[in-house]
Amino acid sequence: MLQQIYPSVQHPYAFELNKDFNFSSAHYIPYEEAGKCKNIHGHTYFINLTIAGNELDKMRFLVNFSELKSLIHKRYDHKLLNDFDEFKDNSPSTEQVAQTIYNIVQEALDRRANKPKCVQVFVRETPTSYVVYRPIKQGDNNA
């Protein structure tokens, strides 16, 4: 995989890990104004997860890298994203894919005793377009 520099996110944690992986999926955006994207088409999505925390687990990991990849890759690789319940009411735009990946990863992290946090999800859809999703902290309101 090509070495990539990702936007960094400020956080108060001692440890940060980043995991890169990819999956290939198809999707469509069911709106006329979506142009070509209203038709089924595929992408190889390149993902970077940024996980942070202060405590390591019994193996001295923040979280095992392979666990992070398996949460997403096994679920979405070579599938039509629109077929998943999480995208029934939310078109699988790159923004929505990034937020959904965050939700899946954070739900798994919440079950861990050391309670790491997913602080950033980077999703590259094409060589020239990507989305960064960072969860809003409680109390933050930029509206």
Side-chain angles (χ1 to χ4, degrees):
M1 180 178 282
L2 176 67
Q3 295 298 315
Q4 178 72 42
I5 302 297
Y6 300 100
S8 63
V9 58
Q10 295 295 319
H11 59 75
Y13 301 103
F15 296 99
E16 174 182 311
L17 70 80
N18 285 270
K19 175 61 180 163
D20 289 329
F21 60 92
N22 64 66
F23 63 89
S24 297
S25 294
H27 73 152
Y28 61 91
I29 308 299
Y31 295 94
E32 281 299 315
E33 56 266 40
K36 291 180 182 180
C37 291
K38 71 181 178 194
N39 300 313
I40 295 175
H41 61 285
H43 297 284
T44 297
Y45 293 93
F46 290 89
I47 312 300
N48 174 268
L49 300 176
T50 304
I51 310 298
N54 289 324
E55 295 184 33
L56 303 179
D57 66 14
K58 68 180 181 180
M59 296 183 294
R60 311 318 295 155
F61 290 157
L62 192 56
V63 62
N64 190 321
F65 286 121
S66 64
E67 290 177 38
L68 294 171
K69 179 181 177 183
S70 70
L71 286 170
I72 306 305
H73 189 270
K74 286 182 180 179
R75 182 180 187 96
Y76 295 131
D77 193 45
H78 286 83
K79 306 275 177 41
L80 177 63
L81 296 177
N82 299 73
D83 288 345
F84 287 88
D85 287 342
E86 56 267 35
F87 296 116
K88 292 290 185 204
D89 295 323
N90 297 307
S91 295
S93 65
T94 309
E95 294 87 344
Q96 201 61 46
V97 169
Q99 184 178 33
T100 299
I101 289 172
Y102 165 80
N103 291 337
I104 292 167
V105 169
Q106 189 58 57
E107 182 178 307
L109 295 176
D110 286 344
R111 293 190 295 268
R112 298 180 58 82
N114 63 328
K115 300 293 184 198
K117 301 293 181 201
C118 182
V119 295
Q120 179 173 275
V121 177
F122 176 100
V123 179
R124 181 172 295 285
E125 182 183 68
T126 71
T128 60
S129 62
Y130 67 88
V131 166
V132 175
Y133 177 79
R134 295 182 187 116
I136 297 174
K137 297 175 196 144
Q138 295 298 337
D140 282 358
N141 187 358
N142 296 330

